[in-house]
């Protein structure tokens, strides 16, 4: 698909933004590791906050500007270590880092548009957390994932939140306790990844997913994404009660009426987002 808009903050923005119709592609551009420094997390959060207000964007793709290398190595350990020299031994800066990270991950989950992680390389620690926080994740057959904090005396407690909400508990604990790297096939078996594709087809497959989702009613997708994450934290009885109410409200929306009428009339629906 032709890129209709390209934006990069000179001289080298931490996040490169490209528009493909109603799909926005965000590329982390902090080589060599795409470390989630304070600046990188602020830049990503600013992009996602802007997406929330832009009705013309329906799907977001999160990728690396340096495919085949590191998707993201997680927190910037050098930046964190420098602040051990602070009067409080880094406590305030560590707290700021973890708070911002939590805000970024929740921004992705609460974004009313789906986010697809396009992974070609290693996603480690908070980088793996980033993948787990996205709604869908598609990777190459050479991608790899790990939560290796235990190896350096720092358990991946915040990555654990996203990881444990995506994969089986024992598999999550396997990653967290061993710190070992898993390959793409294992990541798919664990439920961390949706699909594995050869590198030369990665962008094509991700864009196919994005275009399919972007063709749906944006209101319906927004309603569905919010309901998915909310009901996941409820009991079975609470979830059914909540989602029944969601469906009633959804049924009353103009797009639902249009979609049903279009189906009956055997024509394509015309979405208004209302």
């Amino acid at each position: 698909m032709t890129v209709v808009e390209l934006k990069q903050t000179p001289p080298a923005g931490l996040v490169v933004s490209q528009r493909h119709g109603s799909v926005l592609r965000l590329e982390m551009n902090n080589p060599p590791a795409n470390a989630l420094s304070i600046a990188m997390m602020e830049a990503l959060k600013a992009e996602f906050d802007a997406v929330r207000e832009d009705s013309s964007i329906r799907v977001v793709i999160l990728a690396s500007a340096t495919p085949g290398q590191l998707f993201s190595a997680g927190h910037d350990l050098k930046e964190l270590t420098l602040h051990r020299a602070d009067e409080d031994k880094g406590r305030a800066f560590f707290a700021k880092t973890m708070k911002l990270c939590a805000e970024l991950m929740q921004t992705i989950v609460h974004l009313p548009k789906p986010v697809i992680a396009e992974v070609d390389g290693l996603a480690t620690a908070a980088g793996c957390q980033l993948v787990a926080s996205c709604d869908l994740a598609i990777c190459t057959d050479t991608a790899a994932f790990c939560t290796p904090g235990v190896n350096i005396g720092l358990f991946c407690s915040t990555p654990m939140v996203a990881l444990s909400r995506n994969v089986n508990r024992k598999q999550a604990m396997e990653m967290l306790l061993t710190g070992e790297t898993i390959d793409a096939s294992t990541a798919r078996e664990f439920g961390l990844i949706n699909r594995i594709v050869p590198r030369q087809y990665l962008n094509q497959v991700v864009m196919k997913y994005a275009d399919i989702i972007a063709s749906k009613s944006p209101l319906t997708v927004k309603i569905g994404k919010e309901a998915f994450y909310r009901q996941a934290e409820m009991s079975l009885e609470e979830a059914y009660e909540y989602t029944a109410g969601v469906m009633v409200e959804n049924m009353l929306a103009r797009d639902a009426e249009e979609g049903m009428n279009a189906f009956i009339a055997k024509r394509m629906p015309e979405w208004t987002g209302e």
Side-chain angles (χ1 to χ4, degrees):
M1 179 177 288
T2 303
V3 177
V4 296
E5 179 181 332
L6 176 62
K7 178 182 71 179
Q8 181 171 352
T9 304
L14 287 172
V15 179
V16 180
S17 173
Q18 298 174 336
R19 280 293 298 270
H20 301 255
S22 58
V23 177
L24 179 68
R25 181 181 179 86
L26 300 178
E27 294 182 347
M28 294 178 286
N29 186 35
N30 188 22
N34 280 333
L36 296 179
S37 61
I38 290 289
M40 170 59 92
M41 290 190 289
E42 287 178 340
L44 282 171
K45 189 173 183 303
E47 290 285 355
F48 285 117
D49 286 341
V51 166
R52 177 181 292 276
E53 305 303 321
D54 190 340
S55 62
S56 69
I57 297 172
R58 296 192 176 183
V59 181
V60 180
I61 296 170
L62 180 61
S64 169
T66 53
Q69 300 179 33
L70 277 160
F71 175 80
S72 174
H75 292 303
D76 190 330
L77 297 185
K78 291 182 179 179
E79 182 179 68
L80 290 168
T81 300
L82 282 173
H83 285 272
R84 290 191 181 278
D86 296 350
E87 186 176 346
D88 64 353
K89 297 183 179 180
R91 177 181 291 274
F93 186 78
F94 300 161
K96 176 182 179 181
T97 298
M98 298 309 159
K99 182 176 184 292
L100 180 57
C101 181
E103 290 175 352
L104 171 60
M105 303 304 167
Q106 290 178 84
T107 296
I108 293 172
V109 172
H110 296 150
L111 193 73
K113 293 99 184 277
V115 182
I116 305 173
E118 179 185 297
V119 187
D120 182 15
L122 177 64
T124 175
C128 185
Q129 179 184 7
L130 198 57
V131 174
S133 296
C134 293
D135 303 297
L136 300 177
I138 301 171
C139 73
T140 63
D141 47 13
T142 57
F145 308 84
C146 64
T147 49
V150 68
N151 296 332
I152 60 170
L154 182 65
F155 200 84
C156 284
S157 296
T158 50
M160 174 176 66
V161 174
L163 187 67
S164 64
R165 282 162 170 73
N166 280 259
V167 308
N168 178 277
R169 286 188 177 188
K170 283 185 169 55
Q171 293 166 329
M173 285 299 284
E174 177 183 331
M175 292 181 66
L176 293 161
L177 290 172
T178 67
E180 293 186 350
T181 301
I182 62 172
D183 60 18
S185 294
T186 304
R188 185 178 182 187
E189 177 187 333
F190 282 10
L192 183 60
I193 292 296
N194 292 91
R195 286 196 62 184
I196 305 168
V197 298
R199 177 173 294 163
Q200 64 267 34
Y201 301 120
L202 179 62
N203 183 253
Q204 178 182 343
V205 172
V206 172
M207 279 303 303
K208 179 181 178 181
Y209 270 75
D211 285 338
I212 289 173
I213 296 169
S215 71
K216 314 302 181 185
S217 157
L219 176 66
T220 302
V221 171
K222 174 184 176 181
I223 290 171
K225 176 174 175 176
E226 180 182 1
F228 177 85
Y229 289 108
R230 289 189 63 181
Q231 66 81 28
E233 303 303 317
M234 299 176 181
S235 69
L236 184 65
E237 182 179 355
E238 290 172 331
Y240 271 118
E241 182 178 358
Y242 163 67
T243 53
V246 170
M247 288 204 72
V248 169
E249 294 304 317
N250 195 169
M251 283 279 290
L252 294 170
R254 183 176 299 177
D255 273 1
E257 182 179 2
E258 163 63 13
M260 292 177 191
N261 288 339
F263 178 81
I264 293 169
K266 297 181 180 181
R267 61 173 175 80
M268 292 299 293
E270 297 181 5
W271 307 124
T272 63
E274 300 176 354

